[in-house]
Amino acid sequence: MRRPILRYGAPVLQQKAAPVDALTADVDALIEDMRETMHAAAGVGLAAPQVGESLRVCLVDLSAGRRPEQLLVLINPEVLSAEGLQLKEEGCLSVPGIEATVPRPLKLSIRAMDRDGELRDIHADGLLARALQHEIDHLNGILFLDRLRPEYRWAITRRIARLRRAGKW
Ligand code: CO
């Protein structure tokens, strides 16, 4: 079942999400809902807080649904190491229509449980490293806007405030 994607301003997006204790049927149903929701939005990543669940679950699929084997389901992900720096334009399904150049690590190693409950290490670079860091940030209540220099962030949040006043956010 597709779920509405919450936008910047929703309090749950700024909260640290709770770890998943057990892979229950509810968690599996949430993952399936997130997959459908992310693919329907043609997104490459989605975190549970974006659909209103403050749980440490996120999905990354750089193929945006074209290659099922590329779907990564990350439960309780932890960053093992991060190195280097990349600067690329980035967006977020919770901040629609807005992109900004965000500093991210060039290489990222993480450990996460997959949908079958197996602990897996992922060593990523480039776009995958960026996407993983973006989604893990969501689980810590951090949006890409929070990674911008204050003047850029301020310009964007002012734009969003204007859209909100006009009833377009
Ligand atoms: Co996002």
Side-chain angles (χ1 to χ4, degrees):
M1 182 188 69
R2 277 188 220 170
R3 301 211 195 177
I5 297 175
L6 301 178
R7 293 184 173 197
Y8 170 82
V12 68
L13 293 175
Q14 284 166 307
Q15 289 162 12
K16 192 172 160 79
V20 174
D21 298 327
L23 288 185
T24 59
D26 282 351
V27 171
D28 203 63
L30 169 65
I31 290 167
E32 191 52 26
D33 286 355
M34 288 173 63
R35 191 192 61 75
E36 275 186 46
T37 303
M38 176 176 77
H39 286 157
V44 297
L46 189 71
Q50 293 180 276
V51 294
E53 301 285 346
S54 197
L55 273 180
R56 302 187 80 77
V57 176
C58 58
L59 272 52
V60 168
D61 177 4
L62 295 186
S63 83
R66 287 187 296 272
R67 290 161 168 255
E69 72 279 9
Q70 284 204 8
L71 177 69
L72 295 172
V73 175
L74 310 166
I75 299 160
N76 300 337
E78 278 177 67
V79 173
L80 301 175
S81 69
E83 54 180 281
L85 175 71
Q86 56 172 318
L87 287 164
K88 293 266 167 53
E89 285 257 302
E90 190 170 314
C92 177
L93 293 174
S94 293
V95 193
I98 291 171
E99 294 199 334
T101 301
V102 185
R104 295 287 185 191
L106 191 57
K107 291 184 174 189
L108 190 75
S109 292
I110 70 160
R111 177 168 296 162
M113 208 190 293
D114 68 14
R115 205 174 177 173
D116 301 317
E118 298 290 328
L119 267 186
R120 290 176 55 188
D121 288 1
I122 298 172
H123 306 287
D125 58 15
L127 182 58
L128 184 58
R130 161 177 301 278
L132 291 171
Q133 182 71 72
H134 178 115
E135 298 313 322
I136 292 171
D137 270 1
H138 273 300
L139 306 182
N140 294 320
I142 297 168
L143 296 176
F144 79 91
L145 303 179
D146 300 315
R147 298 277 188 194
L148 303 178
R149 278 162 54 191
E151 62 268 33
Y152 292 126
R153 185 182 170 189
W154 190 68
I156 291 173
T157 52
R158 245 185 359 164
R159 201 166 126 201
I160 293 170
R162 274 202 304 274
L163 288 168
R164 192 180 282 133
R165 280 198 300 276
K168 292 175 183 166
W169 188 261

